[in-house]
Amino acid sequence: MKFQKASVLKGEVTIPGDKSISHRAVMFGSLAEGTTEVTNFLQGADCLSTIDAFRKMGVEIENTPEKILIHGRGLHGLKAPSSVLDMGNSGTTTRLISGILAGQTFESTLTGDASIQKRPMRRIMEPLSMMGAKIVSVNGNDCAPLCITGAPLHGIHYHSKVASAQVKSAVLLAGLYADGETSVTEPALSRNHTEIMLRCFGADVSAEDKTAKICPEPHLQGQKIHVPGDISSAAYFIAAGLIVPGAEILIKNVGINPTRDGILKVAKEMGGNITLLNENNDGEPTADLLVKHSHLHGITIEGSLIPALIDELPVINVMAACAEGTTIIRDAAELKVKESNRIDVMVRYLSAMGCDITGTDDGMVIVGGRPLHGTEVDSHSDHRIAMSFAIASLIAEGDTKIKGSDVVNISYPDFYKDFSRLTQ
Ligand code: S3P
């Protein structure tokens, strides 16, 4: 797909449902008793992989454009799948479902696409094995395919080396099946959607500082869930609004959970003009964001802020390329094990566009302010890379071509529709 510099960026955009919350709604609804109704569910390929996996384990799920209905089978009602469970491109499905499968009475095998088969699974295999799970990497490389044989589990107190909501959630979900209390302490707080939503379903979950705890509970109860817009999808238009001269856009229905709102903090610190409107604090907090073109300046992004903006770092790189001065991103080695190696890929193509960017072991250093020009970018089958370079194209002279641009289907199927509407 080909993109060009924007002469205008204005209008309103309503952001589709949050990917992390959509996955969890299907998973917890499947394990609950009764029906769970989910509105504003993200119909992206990753969340559809989650639906598919639970259907294969006997859960009836009705998927209509207005809502999805999950007819839960209870904590012990899943059936052994008759074939391998295909996780597609979804790391969240793979890691969270492993925690659930560890506590079943059957054996299952999980696999996924080429990217999933390269992503590290030792981080969940280790704590789940400590709980008594039998979980084997079929090719012996600590990646999927994984073969999981359900086993009696016991509670553990796990100190995770990485701040990862996927690891934390896998352990907490296995904790639903354990014989006592399970807790996870992380080096920095990662997104807490599992803790919030499991509690709504009736689980005995508590959280304090960087530790989340769960006690086994025999029943979860089906719920009504309205999924807020995904701040990780909003991030592309936040960045666009800040960097395109004269831009003014209203981004509606954005989830602003404090474990996810790092991009708002960073934008503010860089001098970005963003106003929060219509704030709503029921359950997962939301707001509309009014974003105006701003003169950004470079900052340092590090430490406990990183998990709150980990998926937004590629597009934050684009903001930094337009900012005056130097932006330093550190403590973000996790970028190397996402859908692609996002340090390498961002450095390669932003350099090709004329940006002064250097990769480091755990992030990047960007000296902003150089004019960008179009180039040919390969998305590396990574949705966040494709969307970040679509945004970079808005301020680049000449054509930017993105190979593999349709990968946005993973998290934001209507991205190009919204993008062209705002730039018309
Ligand atoms: C996710 C957690 C994050 C994030 C991913 C979704 C989740 O991964 O990058 O896109 O839904 O739990 P980690 O917490 O493992 O870094």
Side-chain angles (χ1 to χ4, degrees):
M1 210 163 166
K2 206 157 85 179
F3 301 85
Q4 266 153 3
K5 190 169 176 176
S7 49
V8 36
L9 187 78
K10 65 167 182 335
E12 265 184 38
V13 57
T14 300
I15 295 299
D18 186 277
K19 181 157 79 70
S20 294
I21 296 176
S22 295
H23 280 301
R24 286 158 172 81
V26 173
M27 293 183 182
F28 306 167
S30 295
L31 300 179
E33 280 156 33
T35 300
T36 289
E37 183 183 309
V38 188
T39 46
N40 202 34
F41 177 78
L42 174 65
Q43 298 284 350
D46 268 11
C47 300
L48 298 179
S49 294
T50 297
I51 291 190
D52 206 47
F54 281 90
R55 280 183 174 153
K56 280 209 172 111
M57 292 191 284
V59 182
E60 196 196 323
I61 302 176
E62 298 172 62
N63 189 355
T64 67
E66 300 78 50
K67 60 183 169 195
I68 70 164
L69 292 175
I70 305 152
H71 301 284
R73 294 183 61 89
L75 274 174
H76 299 281
L78 296 180
K79 289 189 191 152
S82 54
S83 56
V84 170
L85 297 172
D86 185 358
M87 310 286 105
N89 188 244
S90 177
T92 307
T93 314
T94 309
R95 297 200 177 107
L96 269 63
I97 214 172
S98 295
I100 295 171
L101 293 173
Q104 304 304 313
T105 51
F106 51 76
E107 184 183 293
S108 47
T109 303
L110 318 179
T111 192
D113 67 7
S115 149
I116 277 293
Q117 292 191 37
K118 281 193 238 138
R119 295 185 66 186
M121 293 297 152
R122 166 82 4 220
R123 53 181 59 196
I124 52 147
M125 292 169 69
E126 182 183 281
L128 294 177
S129 302
M130 285 164 67
M131 295 177 80
K134 297 192 169 47
I135 172 164
V136 175
S137 160
V138 173
N139 298 325
N141 58 356
D142 288 343
C143 297
L146 299 177
C147 178
I148 303 178
T149 312
L153 302 180
H154 31 264
I156 57 168
H157 298 287
Y158 188 62
H159 285 262
S160 178
K161 288 192 265 312
V162 280
S164 161
Q166 295 181 353
V167 171
K168 173 173 62 178
S169 303
V171 176
L172 293 177
L173 286 165
L176 280 171
Y177 295 93
D179 58 7
E181 182 186 279
T182 295
S183 68
V184 184
T185 302
E186 1 181 40
L189 183 63
S190 65
R191 63 192 68 189
N192 62 359
H193 306 302
T194 294
E195 297 89 306
I196 293 175
M197 199 190 291
L198 266 183
R199 209 175 296 129
C200 287
F201 275 83
D204 182 358
V205 184
S206 56
E208 209 189 314
D209 195 18
K210 287 173 262 175
T211 299
K213 241 187 244 166
I214 191 164
C215 291
E217 178 67 38
H219 303 288
L220 300 183
Q221 191 56 49
Q223 297 296 314
K224 273 194 174 170
I225 294 170
H226 182 74
V227 181
D230 196 330
I231 192 166
S232 299
S233 298
Y236 302 99
F237 296 117
I238 294 173
L242 294 173
I243 65 175
V244 173
E248 177 165 336
I249 50 177
L250 182 65
I251 310 174
K252 298 187 82 170
N253 178 40
V254 183
I256 52 164
N257 176 319
T259 62
R260 294 285 299 282
D261 71 352
I263 185 162
L264 299 180
K265 295 187 176 115
V266 158
K268 195 168 168 201
E269 204 185 324
M270 292 177 87
N273 184 343
I274 303 180
T275 313
L276 270 59
L277 305 167
N278 296 322
E279 280 188 66
N280 183 328
N281 270 313
D282 296 345
E284 292 274 359
T286 60
D288 297 340
L289 310 177
L290 179 65
V291 185
K292 294 185 184 167
H293 173 242
S294 308
H295 293 284
L296 301 178
H297 54 83
I299 60 167
T300 297
I301 305 169
E302 62 187 345
S304 60
L305 190 56
I306 295 293
L309 46 66
I310 187 74
D311 291 342
E312 291 67 79
L313 283 170
V315 82
I316 289 174
N317 284 193
V318 177
M319 285 159 53
C322 304
E324 203 181 306
T326 303
T327 294
I328 300 170
I329 296 169
R330 47 169 93 101
D331 304 321
E334 280 292 296
L335 286 176
K336 295 189 211 166
V337 291
K338 293 295 179 187
E339 286 82 332
S340 68
N341 179 331
R342 290 179 177 162
I343 297 182
D344 285 0
V345 178
M346 287 310 296
V347 169
R348 176 166 170 190
Y349 295 113
L350 270 184
S351 300
M353 293 181 92
C355 172
D356 180 348
I357 174 168
T358 312
T360 65
D361 260 3
D362 64 349
M364 48 277 276
V365 177
I366 299 161
V367 184
R370 281 205 200 164
L372 300 188
H373 52 80
T375 189
E376 219 171 291
V377 174
D378 186 330
S379 72
H380 287 249
S381 303
D382 184 336
H383 52 136
R384 305 217 183 273
I385 297 294
M387 290 186 274
S388 297
F389 282 99
I391 299 307
S393 78
L394 294 173
I395 42 126
E397 284 305 331
D399 291 347
T400 301
K401 283 192 199 137
I402 302 181
K403 199 174 138 209
S405 55
D406 55 357
V407 68
V408 303
N409 274 337
I410 292 291
S411 61
Y412 196 162
D414 283 339
F415 175 73
Y416 297 118
K417 237 194 246 167
D418 290 342
F419 181 91
S420 43
R421 206 168 30 75
L422 291 171
T423 49
Q424 237 133 67

